[in-house]
Amino acid sequence: MSNQVHLQQFKDQLSESITAGVFVKISMGNYQGNEKELKNIYVRLVEIKRTAMLSFTYRYKTRDIIKNFPITEGIMLMGNFISNDFRIATLFTTEKEVILEYGKKQLIALREKPVKTAVQPTLAHNKEKKRIIVPAGKTYLQELRISDADGNVFKNAQDKYRQINQYIEILSSLMRELPGEVNNVVDMGSGKGYLTFALYDYLHHVLNQNAKITGLEYREDLVALCNRIAESSGFDKLDFVQGTIADYAVESIDLLIALHACDTATDDAIYKGILANAGLIVVAPCCHKQIRREMEKNKSKNEISFLTKYGIFMERQAEMVTDGIRALIMEYFGYKTKVFEFISDAHTPKNVLVVGVRTSGSDTFAKDGDVRKAEIKQKILESKAYFGIGYHHLERLFGLDKLY
C-alpha cells in the first residue's frame, strides 16, 4: 500500500475521531523540519469561551509554546506536519492507538492497537489544580462570600480563592522547617481574616494540630465580623482582638504572620516576633515610605543616582533596601532568612515575602562579640551610608543604631 494511502487513512481517522468525540490527543515526534530546537508537538481538544478548539503544545529544547486553533484549521495544520515535518505520529482515542511511522527509504507504516484502559477526553483548558482548602462545607468561605452553600466558588472570588490556597501552600512548606507542631499563631493586621480562617482550617482539619490562632486588627467592625464568623464556624481556638501591632503584648509565638502591614507596621511585627522568640516569621511588606523619605531627603550621590532620580525607580529601590535591611536584622538575631515573590504581580504589586526561620540554639540578644553580628552591623552601616539613610525603623526599635 502506498505512502499516500497510509497518510490519508491516518488523517481520516484523526478527523473522524474528533467528529465522533473519541479523540484524546495526538503526539508528533522525530522532527525533521527547519525550526530550530523544536522536538515534539502535542495536540488536545480544549474549550475556550465555550468554543471547542485544538491546543498545540510546541515542545522546544528549553521551553514550551502553546497555540490554539479552530478545529478545521487545526486538523489541516496537523495534516501538514505529519506529511512534511514529523516522522512519527501517534493518535490516541478512547478506543485505540493509531501509529504512523516513516521507516527505511521513507516508507510509511501504519499500525493500530487497542487501549488497555479507556481514557475519556476532557475539554478543560487548564487541568484543575487540587486545592488544600476545598470549599465544600466551609461556613467561613460562605460568610466571606467566597463560595455558596453548595461549595461552589463564586466567579468574582476565584482569584481570592486561589490566593488563599497559595498562601496555605507556602506556609505549609515553611512550617516543615519548624522542629515541632505549631501551637500558637498570631496574624498581625488580619483584616477580613481570609488567610486567618484558612490557616486555622488547615492546621486543625488537615494537619490535626490543636493550634491557638489570634488575629490582630485595628478596625473594630472587622474584629466583630471575624469573631462572629469564627463562632458560627465552630473555630473555638480562633479569636480576633482589636489593637495596633505596636501596642500588642507579646508572648511565646510559634508562627507570626503580617501580610501587607503598612510601612513601619511591618517593622513592628518583625520586632514583636523576634521578642516573642517566634519560630517562623512571615511578612509581606507594604508601602516602604520611611526609607524612601530618608533616601529622598539626603539624596546620596552614588552609582545608581541616574536611576533614583526617577520616582518609580526610587520607589522600587526603597522597597529593596528596606526589606534587605530587615532581612539583615533578622539574621542578626539568629534567623535564617528568605525573600521571594509569592503571587503574580497581576494580583498585587506588593508580592514579596520576607521570611525568617529561627535557627536552633540562637539567643534573641546574643553577645555583640559574635563575628557574624559584627559583619551584619557593618553591612547595615555601609548600606545606610551608601543610600543616604539616617535610620531604619526596625533598627531603631532594637536600639541597634546606638551600637555603631
Side-chain angles (χ1 to χ4, degrees):
M1 195 174 290
S2 72
N3 279 1
Q4 289 303 315
V5 172
H6 278 145
L7 268 174
Q8 193 57 50
Q9 286 181 340
F10 186 85
K11 292 177 183 178
D12 288 345
Q13 292 202 57
L14 170 60
S15 180
E16 289 166 5
S17 70
I18 294 173
T19 303
V22 297
F23 174 81
V24 176
K25 63 181 179 180
I26 187 171
S27 169
M28 292 175 275
N30 192 6
Y31 180 67
Q32 301 296 315
N34 297 321
E35 193 165 352
K36 188 177 180 181
E37 295 189 340
L38 180 61
K39 297 173 66 178
N40 305 88
I41 293 180
Y42 305 96
V43 185
R44 66 186 184 94
L45 271 172
V46 297
E47 186 174 71
I48 301 175
K49 295 182 179 180
R50 299 183 180 180
T51 301
M53 302 186 76
L54 285 165
S55 180
F56 285 61
T57 298
Y58 295 73
R59 180 147 296 168
Y60 293 84
K61 187 175 180 180
T62 58
R63 71 193 191 282
D64 287 353
I65 294 177
I66 296 176
K67 297 180 182 180
N68 301 313
F69 299 94
I71 299 296
T72 302
E73 183 180 349
I75 291 175
M76 291 178 60
L77 186 57
M78 284 188 285
N80 289 334
F81 278 133
I82 295 163
S83 298
N84 302 309
D85 298 318
F86 290 93
R87 303 295 89 182
I88 184 169
T90 304
L91 168 65
F92 298 85
T93 75
T94 59
E95 303 161 346
K96 61 184 178 180
E97 294 178 13
V98 185
I99 301 100
L100 180 144
E101 185 172 11
Y102 288 76
K104 294 180 179 180
K105 298 181 181 180
Q106 294 298 302
L107 294 176
I108 294 176
L110 187 67
R111 61 185 188 276
E112 299 180 6
K113 62 179 181 180
V115 296
K116 295 179 180 179
T117 304
V119 177
Q120 294 304 312
T122 174
L123 295 183
H125 187 206
N126 295 306
K127 292 182 179 178
E128 186 65 26
K129 184 176 181 180
K130 186 178 180 180
R131 303 292 181 184
I132 294 178
I133 302 299
V134 294
K138 301 298 171 65
T139 301
Y140 70 92
L141 290 179
Q142 297 169 34
E143 296 268 11
L144 293 170
R145 304 299 299 159
I146 299 294
S147 68
D148 61 20
D150 296 323
N152 300 306
V153 177
F154 294 122
K155 186 176 180 180
N156 63 357
Q158 292 287 341
D159 282 350
K160 178 62 70 175
Y161 176 64
R162 282 193 292 270
Q163 287 176 33
I164 288 170
N165 274 278
Q166 194 163 359
Y167 280 129
I168 298 302
E169 287 175 12
I170 292 171
L171 288 176
S172 172
S173 175
L174 293 171
M175 285 188 293
R176 294 191 192 105
E177 299 188 44
L178 296 176
E181 290 190 356
V182 174
N183 296 308
N184 196 348
V185 180
V186 178
D187 184 356
M188 294 188 168
S190 54
K192 206 171 179 180
Y194 294 103
L195 176 60
T196 328
F197 286 110
L199 182 58
Y200 184 97
D201 186 10
Y202 175 68
L203 288 172
H204 282 253
H205 303 132
V206 178
L207 298 185
N208 295 315
Q209 296 183 11
N210 196 31
K212 179 183 184 300
I213 300 183
T214 299
L216 175 67
E217 172 56 44
Y218 182 72
R219 291 163 288 186
E220 291 185 1
D221 57 331
L222 293 184
V223 172
L225 171 67
C226 289
N227 276 323
R228 180 181 61 76
I229 295 174
E231 183 178 359
S232 64
S233 300
F235 292 177
D236 56 357
K237 299 204 73 174
L238 170 62
D239 72 319
F240 294 82
V241 296
Q242 192 276 330
T244 65
I245 297 174
D247 293 334
Y248 184 74
V250 296
E251 54 187 42
S252 177
I253 298 173
D254 296 311
L255 169 59
L256 181 138
I257 304 167
L259 301 182
H260 301 149
C262 188
D263 197 20
T264 57
T266 294
D267 297 312
D268 294 332
I270 295 172
Y271 175 68
K272 298 291 183 177
I274 293 175
L275 287 183
N277 295 323
L280 178 61
I281 298 173
V282 181
V283 298
C286 185
C287 300
H288 306 81
K289 294 177 182 177
Q290 186 256 316
I291 292 298
R292 179 172 180 174
R293 284 193 296 266
E294 289 285 305
M295 293 171 65
E296 289 175 336
K297 179 177 68 176
N298 296 308
K299 292 184 172 59
S300 179
K301 298 297 182 183
N302 54 42
E303 291 87 344
I304 62 169
S305 297
F306 77 100
L307 289 176
T308 53
K309 69 178 182 178
Y310 302 108
I312 184 64
F313 291 151
M314 170 64 84
E315 179 181 354
R316 292 174 182 174
Q317 191 67 62
E319 291 177 4
M320 290 189 287
V321 173
T322 303
D323 294 336
I325 294 178
R326 283 168 173 160
L328 282 172
I329 293 172
M330 291 169 78
E331 289 176 15
Y332 180 89
F333 289 109
Y335 284 80
K336 181 176 64 176
T337 59
K338 306 175 185 178
V339 180
F340 57 91
E341 290 184 343
F342 61 100
I343 57 175
S344 166
D345 57 10
H347 300 298
T348 173
K350 308 301 182 183
N351 64 341
V352 170
L353 273 187
V354 180
V355 175
V357 181
R358 184 171 168 78
T359 57
S360 60
S362 62
D363 296 321
T364 302
F365 296 102
K367 296 179 180 179
D368 290 337
D370 181 86
V371 174
R372 177 58 180 151
K373 283 178 172 290
E375 292 174 350
I376 292 172
K377 284 193 295 182
Q378 184 62 29
K379 177 59 68 176
I380 294 172
L381 187 63
E382 291 172 355
S383 299
K384 287 165 55 183
Y386 185 82
F387 291 103
I389 298 168
Y391 76 99
H392 188 293
H393 185 70
L394 182 57
E395 169 196 46
R396 181 165 287 183
L397 287 173
F398 282 113
L400 290 178
D401 55 329
K402 296 182 175 63
L403 300 179
Y404 304 129

